[in-house]
Amino acid sequence: MDRIDSKTAGLLRTVADFDPEKFMGAFNIRSNCMSIGRRSTENIKIETKTDAPGLDINIAPGTKGEEVFIPACVTKAGVDDLVYNDFFVGEGADVTVIAGCGIHTETGEPARHSGVHRFFLEKGARVLYVEKHVGTGNEAAKKVIDPQTECYLHEDAYLEMDTSQLGGVSSSVRHTSARLAARAVLVIRERLLTDGNDRAETYFTVTLDGEDSGVNLMSRSVARGDSYQAYQSEIIGNCRCSGHSECDAILSENGRVDASPKLSANSQDAALIHEAAIGKIAGEQIMKLRTLGLTEEEAEAAIIDGFLK
Amino acid sequence: MLEIKGVSFTKEDTEILKGVDLTVPDGKLFVLTGPNGGGKTTIAKMIAGIEKPDTGSIILDGEDLVPLDPTERAKKGVSFAFQHPVRFKGFTVRDLLDIAAGRTLSDEELTALLLEVGLSFEQYAGRAVDSHLSGGEIKRIEIASVLVRDSKLMVFDEPEAGIDLWSFNSLIRVFEGIRDRRSATLIIISHQERLLSIADELVLINGGKVAFHGPAERMLPFIMKNDCINCPVDEKGDLIGPDR
Ligand SMILES: Nc1ncnc2c1ncn2[C@@H]1O[C@H](COP(=O)(O)OP(=O)(O)OP(=O)(O)O)[C@@H](O)[C@H]1O
Ligand SMILES: [Mg+2]
């Protein structure tokens, strides 16, 4: 493996808590559009795509308890990285995928990373996908992360996605779509913090095709400063299925949020629910914490921390 | 010592408190009772700094609290358990109680604290303090958030509300323990006879003022015998206590 520079190493720790010296499993590290380190294991094979930049990650049927790390970093200004990663998860496998993207720029020039991920989960496969996005360095530089994720869940598959973007990313447009077969379950937990002039847009489209499939989308976000967020979700229920989406946003200073949930039920037996709440921190929450000895600022910080945890 | 002197408060053109005077000596347990809407919670909010009086002073150990905000009052040793506890998305019971304690509580400390309000550590330490907790559960956590602060003045607003009999018994013992050790001054707002009966003094609040107060042993039989409608009144319409 090439030597990893200190900025990349720092970003790797932040986004994926990843230390290549200690980790024994499969991984690929992408830095400034190039793979700078990779390992496959017996059950998890990582290969370079032949038709596009990116990887094919093949997880053998029945693989249990293994982790795969595929973090990406951009540490140079002016980089516009585009990568396609496909995950083929074999029948009955149960694995954790840790992704994440960090952008660090020191000059004022913009930098961008766009990851197009596709997940193919075979029957009964289970995946926990954890992804963290951060931007560091020169605050004036535009740092853009535009993730696109497509998920295909076969019967009884289970995919849980934990995504967070807690500051420093000036612009992001996230598209996530999923199609679920019978008894498949998708859980998405999104955490988002925007500040300054940041913009973050999130679009979810989930199609429930199989009997007793289910989706639970939970988005929690805080919009501070002059930042703006848009949340759009569409759950399409084509059979007996259940769908729940929840968008909870806290506004602070001049933050703005648009939320537009959409539910489409194409069957009598589709049970779809959406909940959305947008507003500033409840005054009584701040007051309760002040009576416990916190200042107003400390109370607000504690409430936001807890909310995004 | 807590001295409330001539505290008046008007909100939206309604006079809610009309000159409240009350002195609570150190280490005493005072129970404030009286009809709904009488002004008990408003008095508690005045003490905690959630509302500020239009006139009057609230003096704790010689210092007027009125100019101080709720944070400063908390730091001076004032604690207040809300009548209607606040819920937080994303806080666990442990998070909230650590904030209340001002430090990270050990598992042993948290176990002992939760036990005081009749909750088990295993079931509750990791629970979210959000809308999924029942009314009685959140109420007990609210009480624990004040108990853990060990402040010199603790105010509990209707701690009995929604709490089951077994947890209530344990809570009574906690209050009696504090009273017997004289380790803190307690003001409890309550409508519950058992809580009234453990007080050093009972204070009847009605129409935004102290109608009368006195030692529990003399006041309790009187309060239990008269309701506020049939209670004897003087020529000004004020309730007449047992001493007049
Ligand atoms: N923010 C407010 N605006 C207007 N009126 C208020 C406000 N807060 C309280 N009040 C009124 O002040 C009066 C006293 O209220 P308070 O909550 O202190 O009563 P209480 O004695 O605690 O009653 P309870 O036993 O029902 O808890 C009530 O008539 C109430 O409606
Ligand atoms: Mg009240």
Side-chain angles (χ1 to χ4, degrees):
Chain A
M1 182 164 58
D2 302 352
R3 225 182 67 81
I4 293 181
D5 65 80
S6 63
K7 264 178 255 144
T8 306
L11 279 177
L12 288 175
R13 269 194 305 276
T14 318
V15 298
D17 197 13
F18 181 66
D19 182 346
E21 308 289 318
K22 296 203 182 110
F23 182 67
M24 298 315 295
F27 69 85
N28 181 82
I29 302 169
R30 185 179 180 84
S31 179
N32 302 318
C33 311
M34 280 176 10
S35 172
I36 58 161
R38 177 178 310 170
R39 183 196 294 136
S40 290
T41 61
E42 199 180 322
N43 292 323
I44 302 178
K45 303 277 182 248
I46 304 181
E47 275 148 27
T48 305
K49 267 190 188 302
T50 48
D51 54 344
L55 306 167
D56 282 335
I57 296 141
N58 287 291
I59 299 172
T63 304
K64 294 272 187 244
E66 285 194 42
E67 289 185 337
V68 194
F69 277 82
I70 48 144
C73 299
V74 175
T75 56
K76 289 191 186 122
V79 168
D80 188 354
D81 185 19
L82 171 66
V83 62
Y84 297 86
N85 292 334
D86 286 338
F87 295 81
F88 302 95
V89 186
E91 195 170 322
D94 186 352
V95 296
T96 300
V97 176
I98 298 170
C101 174
I103 298 187
H104 178 94
T105 57
E106 279 175 9
T107 68
E109 272 187 90
R112 176 166 182 231
H113 174 87
S114 315
V116 182
H117 287 179
R118 291 193 299 172
F119 285 87
F120 302 90
L121 272 67
E122 294 301 327
K123 199 169 184 314
R126 294 177 71 88
V127 172
L128 169 64
Y129 174 79
V130 183
E131 177 204 271
K132 214 189 257 185
H133 286 166
V134 295
T136 57
N138 188 328
E139 284 190 16
K142 200 161 189 250
K143 301 177 201 76
V144 182
I145 301 183
D146 292 332
Q148 270 186 52
T149 311
E150 285 173 35
C151 314
Y152 301 90
L153 278 70
H154 285 96
E155 286 84 12
D156 301 298
Y158 176 89
L159 173 62
E160 188 174 330
M161 307 182 91
D162 260 321
T163 66
S164 62
Q165 181 174 308
L166 302 178
V169 178
S170 10
S171 165
S172 75
V173 179
R174 174 189 292 278
H175 284 274
T176 306
S177 65
R179 197 168 269 281
L180 277 67
R183 297 172 306 280
V185 173
L186 173 66
V187 175
I188 298 182
R189 240 176 260 114
E190 179 190 52
R191 299 278 181 275
L192 192 56
L193 172 74
T194 52
D195 205 341
N197 288 311
D198 298 348
R199 278 181 74 89
E201 297 171 42
T202 303
Y203 304 91
F204 291 112
T205 309
V206 179
T207 311
L208 301 166
D209 279 337
E211 294 280 299
D212 299 318
S213 56
V215 60
N216 193 3
L217 297 180
M218 289 161 285
S219 165
R220 280 199 185 169
S221 70
V222 176
R224 276 199 192 132
D226 293 310
S227 68
Y228 170 77
Q229 298 177 7
Y231 171 95
Q232 256 183 48
S233 67
E234 180 173 12
I235 299 179
I236 303 153
N238 292 329
C239 53
R240 187 176 70 210
C241 60
S242 58
H244 174 248
S245 84
E246 191 181 315
C247 163
D248 242 314
I250 292 182
L251 301 175
S252 171
E253 295 144 7
N254 300 315
R256 290 179 302 134
V257 173
D258 283 331
S260 52
K262 186 173 169 193
L263 303 174
S264 309
N266 298 320
S267 155
Q268 266 198 355
D269 297 319
L272 309 178
I273 299 174
H274 178 77
E275 298 171 77
I278 304 175
K280 63 174 196 268
I281 297 176
E284 56 169 10
Q285 290 183 330
I286 299 217
M287 195 49 91
K288 169 65 191 171
L289 297 188
R290 293 184 75 194
T291 66
L292 298 177
L294 269 55
T295 62
E296 205 168 333
E297 295 72 37
E298 289 166 344
E300 188 176 325
I303 292 164
I304 287 178
D305 264 16
F307 182 73
L308 292 177
K309 200 172 46 191
Chain B
M1 185 163 68
L2 177 75
E3 300 159 274
I4 300 175
K5 292 182 181 167
V7 164
S8 301
F9 179 63
T10 299
K11 195 152 191 176
E12 287 155 22
D13 295 333
T14 339
E15 228 186 326
I16 298 177
L17 299 182
K18 305 169 187 169
V20 174
D21 291 297
L22 186 67
T23 299
V24 188
D26 283 346
K28 293 285 182 193
L29 194 174
F30 273 41
V31 170
L32 273 50
T33 191
N36 294 137
K40 304 177 294 298
T41 296
T42 309
I43 294 174
K45 287 181 176 171
M46 297 283 152
I47 298 170
I50 296 171
E51 298 279 10
K52 286 206 177 197
D54 304 325
T55 60
S57 49
I58 299 169
I59 298 163
L60 182 65
D61 297 337
E63 182 185 8
D64 191 359
L65 297 179
V66 172
L68 305 184
D69 68 28
T71 310
E72 293 164 322
R73 295 191 203 195
K75 289 185 172 150
K76 299 259 177 208
V78 177
S79 287
F80 172 40
F82 290 21
Q83 179 173 4
H84 304 291
V86 182
R87 296 168 191 266
F88 294 87
K89 271 194 183 150
F91 279 18
T92 61
V93 168
R94 186 194 277 276
D95 293 336
L96 184 65
L97 295 177
D98 280 349
I99 290 177
R103 64 190 172 86
T104 307
L105 298 166
S106 69
D107 286 0
E108 293 71 34
E109 290 172 307
L110 194 54
T111 305
L113 175 65
L114 289 173
L115 204 61
E116 289 193 315
V117 293
L119 297 174
S120 86
F121 173 85
E122 287 72 23
Q123 275 180 38
Y124 287 95
R127 285 281 299 272
V129 198
D130 61 13
S131 55
H132 297 295
L133 283 181
S134 79
E137 288 166 337
I138 187 95
K139 189 76 187 181
R140 289 188 270 167
I141 287 150
E142 176 72 12
I143 293 165
S145 78
V146 165
L147 291 175
V148 74
R149 291 174 48 75
D150 236 340
S151 4
K152 63 179 172 191
L153 174 64
M154 299 191 239
V155 184
F156 294 90
D157 197 349
E158 299 193 22
E160 74 269 22
I163 292 199
D164 65 68
L165 203 57
W166 299 275
S167 308
F168 185 61
N169 286 334
S170 133
L171 202 57
I172 292 260
R173 282 195 295 278
V174 171
F175 290 141
E176 280 176 328
I178 299 172
R179 178 197 65 187
D180 295 343
R181 288 193 301 277
R182 300 286 173 210
S183 49
T185 305
L186 284 178
I187 297 177
I188 301 176
I189 296 169
S190 176
H191 304 290
Q192 228 284 341
E193 191 181 348
R194 282 206 43 219
L195 267 170
L196 268 60
S197 72
I198 66 165
D200 293 308
E201 293 225 9
L202 288 182
V203 185
L204 195 120
I205 307 290
N206 186 35
K209 49 190 172 178
V210 175
F212 46 83
H213 73 99
E217 58 277 14
R218 197 168 73 246
M219 291 280 290
L220 191 58
F222 179 80
I223 288 177
M224 299 311 294
K225 193 172 78 213
N226 298 290
D227 57 55
C228 280
I229 295 160
N230 298 317
C231 202
V233 288
D234 63 16
E235 59 285 352
K236 286 191 294 180
D238 288 340
L239 300 179
I240 299 173
D243 302 332
R244 283 169 63 188

